[in-house]
Structure formats: structure tokens, C-alpha cells
């Protein structure tokens, strides 16, 4: 989220006109305060709250104050840049920017896979270097002897194991 | 002022756009077992009156707008016109543009609503000099 904010700020400094990007305006951005005062109304970007409680930029520079004065007159006198500047004074993000989303999920997913892969390597090492030998009863010869014994004692002769063995022909069915 | 604010809490929720005639006034979010259901026209009239208050203050504009956007409907152009004129009385161009953005966002997948609203509001927009978000380029991130 901080990365996307920085991105927005980077984009905005490209598109904003002088009036909105004076250094005084940056300092006055309510979200740059280290400790946010939750006892007073705060600015927020929400799709369901089109008009936030306070404007985004509160401490206006002299130029911005002049623009605000001009706003009191007919809006047809304002240039497009001035109108945009007025919008950006009051709102940090437009609806389109709020809806934008980011590519953060790719980073997260990539990180998850990296760690899973690393874990896989650890598990593999553990299998090779930590685990001892498997019991000898799992060797081919031992399994063959076991199977023969199971057939001889008629394990599950109705539907199961021995049912599948053909006792006349001495082979699997 | 408080009476208007109190009445905001009693409302039905339904789509008011004339482009969707299948939503009728009889469908309300709150099922009263008693009491009258408010018709679409009454709802519209109430909101138009709210925004038409000559000495509306900034808080009331914000409260009204945020509440209206909270309902499950896209406001009628006449309500929006009253709201835009209220912005003009309060010398608040940014809020006027924001209202237009909110309407587009509120229409969701029904892409035909926003152009219809803009078409209905065009005289007001030209008269007051309110740009659309598209004109300012903020409709694209």
C-alpha cells in the first residue's frame, strides 16, 4: 500500500499543476503527519463517501488561496487546469485511482512460491541426510514373500486381495 | 435542518433511474407491516427539497450526498441538479465534480446510466461551468 501511495504521488506530481504541488502543499497533506490525530475528522478516500469530512490539503499556500477566491466567482472563468487543481486540493485520489488496484499480488504470490520452494529444498535435504534407511521388509524380495503369504492364507477371498488371484492358474486374474 | 436530517433515516431503497422501469415503487428495502410506503416521487421530492435549501451548509451537503450514495439506487438527475446547485452556493467545485464521479461509480455495471445522467444534467453543467471528470482526465487512473 505504501508503494502504491508513492506511485500515486509520483504520478500526481507529473500531472498536477504548480498550484497543487508547492512544497507547502506537501507539508500540509493530512496523511503525511507522523501521528494521526483520530479525535478530529480525517480525510479518507472511500468510494462510498464521495465527500470526505475535511479537504485533503488544508494549509493553503498564497497561490492556492487565490485560486479558492477565484472559485467564489463564476466557474466558467476557471481554466481546466485550475478546475483540476481545485479538485486535487480537496481530494487525494479520484474514483478511478481508488479503484485502480496494484500489482502487489504478483509480488506476494512470488514470495509465497519462493518460500515454498526453499522449504521443499529443506525437506529434500532432510530426506537425504537426516532420515535413516527404510525397513528391510520394503525390499522387493521381502514384499514378494509377504504377498505369497497373503495369498496362501486367503486374505480377503470374497471381494478383496485373494479374490483377484487365480488359484488354478497361479496368477493374477 | 434537523428535521431534514431525521427524515433521511426513513427511506425505501430502490433504483430511481427511468432506464430501468422494472424496478417499481412497491419494492422497498424495509418491509413495514404498517405505515405507508414512500413512492419514488416522494423520495425524489424530499431529496430535491433537501439540497435546494438556500442556506445549506457544507456539512449538510456532505451528509446528504454521502447518505444518498449509501442507498441502493442511482439518484435521479433532478436530485443531482439540486446537489450541484448547492455546491455552487457553497463555492465548492471539487465536490460538484466528485458527485459526478460518484454517480458513475454507483451505476456499476449498468453503463448506460451515467451518459443518461450527464445528458440530463448538461444544461446545468454548462450553466455553472462544471467540468465532467472525463474533461479533466480523472476518469482514467
Amino acid at each position: 500500500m505504501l508503494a502504491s501511495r508513492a506511485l500515486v504521488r509520483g504520478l500526481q506530481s507529473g500531472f498536477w499543476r504548480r498550484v497543487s504541488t508547492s512544497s507547502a502543499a506537501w507539508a500540509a497533506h493530512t496523511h503525511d503527519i507522523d501521528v494521526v490525530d483520530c479525535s478530529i475528522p480525517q480525510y479518507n478516500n472511500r468510494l462510498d463517501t464521495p465527500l470526505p469530512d475535511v479537504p485533503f490539503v488544508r494549509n493553503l499556500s498564497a497561490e492556492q488561496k487565490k485560486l479558492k477566491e477565484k472559485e467564489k466567482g463564476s466557474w466558467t472563468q476557471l481554466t481546466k487546469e485550475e478546475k483540476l487543481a481545485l479538485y486535487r486540493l480537496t481530494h487525494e485520489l479520484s474514483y478511478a485511482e481508488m479503484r485502480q488496484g496494484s500489482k502487489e499480488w504478483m509480488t506476494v504470490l512470488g514470495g509465497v512460491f519462493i518460500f515454498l520452494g526453499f522449504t521443499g529444498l529443506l525437506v529434500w535435504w532432510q530426506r537425504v541426510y537426516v532420515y535413516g534407511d527404510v525397513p528391510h521388509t520394503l525390499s522387493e524380495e521381502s514384499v514378494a514373500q509377504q504377498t505369497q503369504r497373503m495369498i496362501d492364507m486367503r486374505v480377503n477371498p470374497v471381494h478383496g486381495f485373494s479374490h483377484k488371484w487365480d488359484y488354478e492358474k497361479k496368477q493374477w486374474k | 435542518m434537523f428535521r431534514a436530517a431525521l427524515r433521511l433515516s426513513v427511506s425505501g431503497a430502490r433504483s430511481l433511474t427511468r432506464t430501468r422501469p422494472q424496478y417499481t415503487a412497491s419494492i422497498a428495502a424495509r418491509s413495514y407491516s404498517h405505515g405507508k410506503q414512500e413512492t419514488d416521487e416522494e423520495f425524489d421530492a424530499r431529496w430535491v427539497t433537501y439540497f435546494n435549501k438556500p442556506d445549506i451548509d457544507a456539512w449538510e451537503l456532505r451528509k446528504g450526498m454521502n447518505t444518498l450514495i449509501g442507498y441502493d439506487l442511482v439518484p435521479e438527475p433532478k436530485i443531482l441538479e439540486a446537489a450541484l446547485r448547492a455546491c455552487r452556493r457553497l463555492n465548492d467545485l471539487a465536490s460538484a465534480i466528485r458527485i459526478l464521479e460518484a454517480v458513475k461509480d454507483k451505476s456499476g455495471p449498468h453503463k448506460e446510466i451515467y451518459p443518461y445522467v450527464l445528458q440530463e444534467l448538461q444544461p446545468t453543467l454548462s450553466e455553472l461551468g462544471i467540468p465532467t471528470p472525463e474533461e479533466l482526465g480523472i476518469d482514467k487512473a
Side-chain angles (χ1 to χ4, degrees):
Chain A
M1 192 182 69
L2 288 173
S4 59
R5 263 194 185 157
L7 182 66
V8 163
R9 243 181 277 158
L11 282 175
Q12 286 174 339
S13 59
F15 292 135
W16 284 10
R17 293 295 158 181
R18 260 184 321 125
V19 174
S20 310
T21 54
S22 60
S23 52
W26 282 121
H29 284 187
T30 48
H31 74 281
D32 274 341
I33 302 171
D34 280 309
V35 178
V36 179
D37 185 357
C38 293
S39 62
I40 54 171
Q42 295 171 27
Y43 176 80
N44 58 272
N45 290 309
R46 289 183 61 106
L47 297 169
D48 60 9
T49 310
L51 305 179
D53 296 331
V54 293
F56 181 55
V57 179
R58 294 230 262 164
N59 309 341
L60 301 172
S61 73
E63 270 192 57
Q64 291 165 336
K65 285 191 183 136
K66 266 205 310 193
L67 186 57
K68 279 288 186 190
E69 283 303 314
K70 200 171 173 197
E71 197 184 10
K72 295 184 182 165
S74 171
W75 292 338
T76 49
Q77 305 298 322
L78 297 168
T79 68
K80 213 197 271 200
E81 287 78 18
E82 286 173 334
K83 290 178 184 175
L84 188 58
L86 281 169
Y87 180 86
R88 289 292 181 189
L89 280 181
T90 323
H91 302 288
E92 180 191 10
L93 299 177
S94 70
Y95 266 71
E97 284 159 3
M98 278 193 259
R99 283 209 172 267
Q100 206 175 14
S102 68
K103 297 215 164 70
E104 191 185 3
W105 67 272
M106 294 183 194
T107 311
V108 170
L109 208 58
V112 167
F113 287 146
I114 285 171
F115 280 107
L116 282 177
F118 180 66
T119 307
L121 287 174
L122 288 181
V123 171
W124 189 7
W125 177 89
Q126 182 183 271
R127 169 69 184 82
V128 170
Y129 288 102
V130 175
Y131 289 168
D133 287 334
V134 294
H136 71 93
T137 45
L138 292 174
S139 68
E140 280 237 20
E141 188 191 310
S142 185
V143 168
Q145 286 173 342
Q146 178 183 283
T147 315
Q148 183 60 56
R149 185 179 155 83
M150 283 166 76
I151 289 167
D152 291 343
M153 65 167 124
R154 309 290 198 272
V155 167
N156 291 340
V158 181
H159 288 302
F161 190 81
S162 300
H163 169 70
K164 297 189 188 130
W165 177 260
D166 190 339
Y167 282 93
E168 277 87 46
K169 297 195 195 127
K170 299 232 188 308
Q171 66 187 22
W172 292 109
K173 289 182 187 170
Chain B
M1 177 189 92
F2 291 112
R3 196 167 43 118
L6 277 173
R7 277 200 290 200
L8 290 177
S9 59
V10 177
S11 70
R14 62 209 146 226
S15 167
L16 288 181
T17 64
R18 295 296 175 240
T19 55
R20 308 230 62 134
Q22 58 262 42
Y23 298 129
T24 64
S26 60
I27 300 167
R30 300 188 190 172
S31 321
Y32 299 119
S33 58
H34 61 282
K36 249 174 11 113
Q37 305 279 38
E38 189 179 47
T39 66
D40 282 353
E41 291 72 24
E42 285 167 358
F43 179 86
D44 292 348
R46 193 158 56 78
W47 276 101
V48 167
T49 315
Y50 179 84
F51 284 119
N52 274 343
K53 193 163 92 111
D55 55 346
I56 193 172
D57 67 34
W59 183 93
E60 284 173 350
L61 171 68
R62 289 198 304 271
K63 172 68 179 170
M65 214 48 235
N66 292 338
T67 309
L68 192 58
I69 293 297
Y71 294 152
D72 182 19
L73 49 84
V74 179
E76 279 282 322
K78 57 172 161 321
I79 304 178
L80 296 169
E81 185 192 337
L84 293 177
R85 290 193 185 278
C87 290
R88 174 65 269 191
R89 290 198 294 284
L90 291 164
N91 301 322
D92 192 351
L93 176 62
S95 294
I97 304 169
R98 192 71 155 183
I99 288 171
L100 295 176
E101 274 192 295
V103 166
K104 180 170 184 197
D105 189 68
K106 203 60 197 162
S107 336
H110 304 288
K111 300 262 186 273
E112 69 281 1
I113 297 181
Y114 181 61
Y116 164 73
V117 166
L118 279 188
Q119 177 198 313
E120 294 291 310
L121 287 177
Q122 199 44 53
T124 312
L125 296 180
S126 329
E127 179 198 331
L128 298 179
I130 300 173
T132 65
E134 289 72 29
E135 283 168 25
L136 292 179
I138 51 179
D139 59 321
K140 308 264 175 288

